[in-house]
Amino acid sequence: LRGMLFNLQIKVQQTDFSESGTVVLIEELETALMYLDEHAEHEDKFIFAHVAHKEPSITKELESDHVIDHKLSEDLRAYIGKWKTAATGAERILAGRQIFSAMNGFIAFNLYHMNKEENQFLVLLWKHFSDEEIHSMEQEMLQHMDPKVLMAESRWIMRNLSNPEI
């Protein structure tokens, strides 16, 4: 997800939002937001739910982060909507600046949140569950994912892992 966000932010930064070709970038942004929303939903349902009774404070904190993240994504969607309905190049440029700024905030928050998950939550997950139990949670989550989305996300994951991680 980080790689996808970084890639998109570079594109946003380099885009002339007055051009009609920006529609491809807008579609990529909307797809990324959908992936991130689905990711948070799956974490809440298939991972956090298992840990909530063992570590309620961190689980509630991460679920609260997902609420903030959802608000940030909705703000970004609103600016994308402004770009789509803009009647002039100047309006599209203004909406583009708003997209750029909202994207920066969205990425900053998500980096903070992901870091918290990896440095605090995963430690607790490994503390309370065996590898087999964690794998079972993952399999349950994967069964509820659209195969097309799973393949697209898998391509992003593979592109952004180091050789030892692969």
Side-chain angles (χ1 to χ4, degrees):
L1 294 174
R2 278 186 198 95
M4 181 188 302
L5 290 172
F6 293 152
N7 179 273
L8 282 170
Q9 186 58 3
I10 289 168
K11 288 180 180 181
V12 168
Q13 185 169 321
Q14 296 172 340
T15 295
D16 176 352
F17 280 88
S18 67
E19 294 181 1
S20 61
T22 303
V23 72
V24 173
L25 172 63
I26 295 297
E27 289 170 357
E28 288 180 50
L29 285 169
E30 291 174 321
T31 298
L33 290 171
M34 185 265 304
Y35 289 165
L36 286 155
D37 285 347
E38 186 176 90
H39 174 80
E41 181 182 318
H42 286 147
E43 279 182 340
D44 288 346
K45 185 174 181 180
F46 299 108
I47 309 297
F48 295 171
H50 291 282
V51 181
H53 65 284
K54 296 179 186 268
E55 298 285 348
S57 62
I58 188 69
T59 305
K60 285 181 183 176
E61 183 179 338
L62 292 171
E63 288 172 342
S64 293
D65 281 0
H66 285 171
V67 172
I68 295 166
D69 188 52
H70 182 72
K71 170 70 170 104
L72 292 169
S73 68
E74 288 305 309
D75 291 347
L76 191 48
R77 282 185 177 94
Y79 295 127
I80 288 169
K82 285 177 77 172
W83 183 87
K84 286 179 167 182
T85 59
T88 67
E91 289 175 354
R92 285 190 293 276
I93 289 169
L94 175 60
R97 284 191 205 122
Q98 292 168 321
I99 290 169
F100 175 77
S101 180
M103 188 72 174
N104 283 333
F106 181 78
I107 290 172
F109 181 81
N110 273 279
L111 291 176
Y112 165 78
H113 174 75
M114 288 179 206
N115 202 47
K116 189 187 311 181
E117 287 176 334
E118 292 166 2
N119 291 308
Q120 294 175 27
F121 183 77
L122 285 180
V123 172
L124 298 173
L125 188 66
W126 290 322
K127 174 183 169 185
H128 294 292
F129 297 96
S130 68
D131 288 347
E132 292 79 20
E133 290 169 318
I134 295 169
H135 181 71
S136 176
M137 291 176 210
E138 178 185 38
Q139 291 306 306
E140 182 182 12
M141 182 172 56
L142 291 173
Q143 290 174 1
H144 289 86
M145 290 184 72
D146 179 329
K148 290 178 186 176
V149 171
L150 183 58
M151 289 306 298
E153 288 179 355
S154 296
R155 279 191 293 279
W156 275 106
I157 290 168
M158 294 305 289
R159 285 182 199 149
N160 290 285
L161 291 176
S162 66
N163 286 338
E165 288 172 314
I166 293 170

